[in-house]
Amino acid sequence: MRSYYSSKIKSFLSQSTETILGFLSDKHSHNLEILQKNAWIDQIDILKDQFREQFQFHDSHIFFEFSIPRMGKRADNIILIGDAIFVIEFKVGEKNFTSSAENQVLEYSLDLKNFHKGSYPKKIFPIYVSTESENFFQPNIIEYPDLLFSTTFCNKDNLFEKIKYLIDENNVNINFENDPKEWEESGYLPTPAIIEAATALYENHDVKEISRSDSGATNLSITGKSIEEIIENSFQKNKKSIIFLTGVPGSGKTLAGLNSVYGQMKNELQGTACFLSGNGPLVDVLREALTRSEVQKSNKPIPKYLAASKVEAFVQKVHHFRDEYLSSNNIPPDKVIVFDEAQRAWDEKMASSFMKRNKGINDFQKSEPEFLLEVMNRDSNWSSVICLIGGGQEINRGEGGVEEWIFALQNKEELKNWNIYLSKEIIEDNTYINDHEMRNWLSVNANIREGLHLDVSLRSFRSYKTSKFIDFIVNNEPEKAKEIYFSNETNEDVFHKKYPIYITRNLNLAKKWIKNKARGNERYGLVASSGAVRLRSLGINVKSSVDPNWFLNDKNDVRSSFYLEEVATEFDIQGLELDWTIMAWDIDFYREYDDWNFKKFTGTKWNKINKIENQNYLLNSYRVLLTRARQGMIIYVPEGSNEDVTRNPKEYEEIYKYLLCCGIKLLDTDC
């Protein structure tokens, strides 16, 4: 059961307050504070008073403390009336309305609309009850396209009056017959943002509570179980194992890795675990989010630096881990290591050059994967390494991809005792390994396991086709992209309506659109390529990097993404995501002769990029940027300027026309 108490309204009215309070208290897992008890009593009394004489609604259903798993919270009350859902948040004793409480009840309603299967087709009305408030002037109620409505404000005396008004004005069918039990227990398919997921896992939620489980996606629970079994087998048999978990952008690889780390934290007998990433911004953001969570959940006030030191043991920068073991033969205490974005580990040439220039080590002739595995090999006992691999995600010079890991395992004698686990996709799909002989070697020497490839994006939960749509755009397949853009995902839903994507030449219009699209605390922001340096003329400065405040702070903070002043590049945002994005496109990635071409701005002019390797890095940068939005995006292509040779209007025009050929609609004031 998702709620503490559930019944028809007529049964609720016939039961004593003490009986209902008993149900609520029995289900409450924490110490029951007097404030919570009194709040429940007031809610019960108000709801009874409001519904006692409303006989036509006595067969409707009421829930107390309905679980919102993705958020780790509970809605005060939900009332099912006909084909509508009323989500009610009480602020007992309050005289005023606050934006934070308004957003809270809207967030609950959004969560039900987006992730609770039984709620998807219904009208949902968020209601905010400030019990002692005056009769509040209600702004116009907005009906959004997905049948979610903006928040209604009321007090303890006019709650039913407002509900009745919403029913009458919005054609609610009160005779619609619900099965409350079926609705309550219908599938809950949340797909949290990685910051949200990391915080939930850190607070001991299970991945099953916060991940999708629909048939269209490989269930993260299957992935988690497969990884757990491999780790357990390595422990029991005292073996070394390396696990390659692959997947499309946003498919949940990082979530699965974090789940493995936090799962290992609970099993102290097997040893500790840590999460390593070469993505510095991701580590910084996760650490800051978890530190804030640690401070907030503490029963006693603790200094932030103490909370941060606890978090840092579990989320580390891979380069700090590497450097710690450069000049010693120390054995890492951790038995399970997760390498996030392992495809970004340096090849031998890059690693050797860095060690010579920055560490004064002249004889470092190893790739990063080889060295990191040798470090984990120092202990003769068991250990497990989990490599999270994104296809087409290499965005830096010297990033060796999965092939560097396999090469080390294949050719270094001291690493041949490692058991290799991966999916059949690595062997069958040259997205990950181009070398045919290497794939043949893996087919003989690796263990194929179910669940080690995630092929559906969970980031864009509104549509599983988003990742494929972006692939077709960057791979110069406009007709295939257009086919997806206008395709039906179900009998009713067209891709571009479920996941809105528009194009505009007007940045102010883009900003207005994205602000209107975001509801409650849905996060939006501006992104662009690190090579998009001529956007500076338009106030978009990609040379100024963002910090964790951009991802974590609220709408009142000028440092947050909401202000649309600071821009995140592929280096800032890889591995992270927003609900909505404005993707600003410059002519570093431009069209010529019906294909993509590549440029870098140096000094005062653009220069063509000729090396295939560097072209791929730039293409992957745009792939990363175009897959950061969970719910939709708008692509901004500037007009250019005839007075500025570095902003050729014709080159911007070719990008714009190509995106139109991919089916993307031009934004107008009616969108």
Side-chain angles (χ1 to χ4, degrees), residues 56 59 64 120 132 147 171 220 232 236 244 292 319 388 426 525 586 605 618 634 644 658:
Q56 72 270 41
D59 282 334
F64 274 74
Y120 176 72
E132 308 307 313
L147 299 181
N171 299 314
L220 275 175
E232 179 64 27
Q236 294 294 342
F244 293 96
R292 293 182 187 186
H319 295 156
L388 310 181
I426 284 188
D586 205 356
K605 63 180 181 179
L618 180 54
I634 182 162
D644 184 347
Y658 171 77

Side-chain angles (χ1 to χ4, degrees), residues 14 80 82 94 113 120 151 157 168 174 207 343 373 382 412 416 422 459 465 486 532 571 586 598 609 668:
S14 68
L80 293 186
E94 295 290 328
K113 173 59 68 175
Y120 176 72
T151 303
D157 298 317
D168 293 341
I174 64 172
V207 71
Q343 78 279 356
L373 288 174
W382 81 281
K412 299 300 175 181
K416 290 187 176 179
L422 41 73
R459 176 177 294 131
K465 294 182 178 179
F486 291 103
F571 300 116
D586 205 356
F598 312 85
I609 297 173
D668 59 40

Side-chain angles (χ1 to χ4, degrees), residues 483-495:
E483 186 178 338
I484 287 183
Y485 191 85
F486 291 103
S487 66
N488 283 5
E489 298 203 336
T490 68
N491 290 333
E492 303 87 21
D493 295 313
V494 178
F495 168 74

Side-chain angles (χ1 to χ4, degrees), residues 192-198 248-256 258 275 277-286 340-344 388 390 392-395 459 527 550-551 568-578 620-621 623-630:
I194 191 59
I195 298 169
E196 204 172 46
V248 300
S251 58
K253 299 181 295 296
T254 302
L255 173 55
L258 286 167
F275 180 90
S277 179
N279 184 341
L282 173 66
V283 172
D284 291 340
V285 171
L286 290 181
D340 189 37
E341 297 183 21
Q343 78 279 356
R344 296 182 64 183
L388 310 181
Q393 297 282 289
E394 300 86 3
I395 59 175
R459 176 177 294 131
V527 302
W550 194 84
F551 293 95
T569 71
E570 68 274 20
F571 300 116
D572 299 312
I573 205 169
Q574 187 176 34
L576 294 160
E577 64 262 301
L578 305 176
N620 287 340
S621 293
R623 189 199 314 276
V624 166
L625 293 165
L626 289 163
T627 55
R628 295 307 98 186
R630 287 160 55 80

Side-chain angles (χ1 to χ4, degrees), residues 25 61 193 197 217 315 325 488 513 533 648:
S25 302
H61 213 86
V315 180
Y325 297 100
N488 283 5
W513 180 84
V533 295
N648 185 344

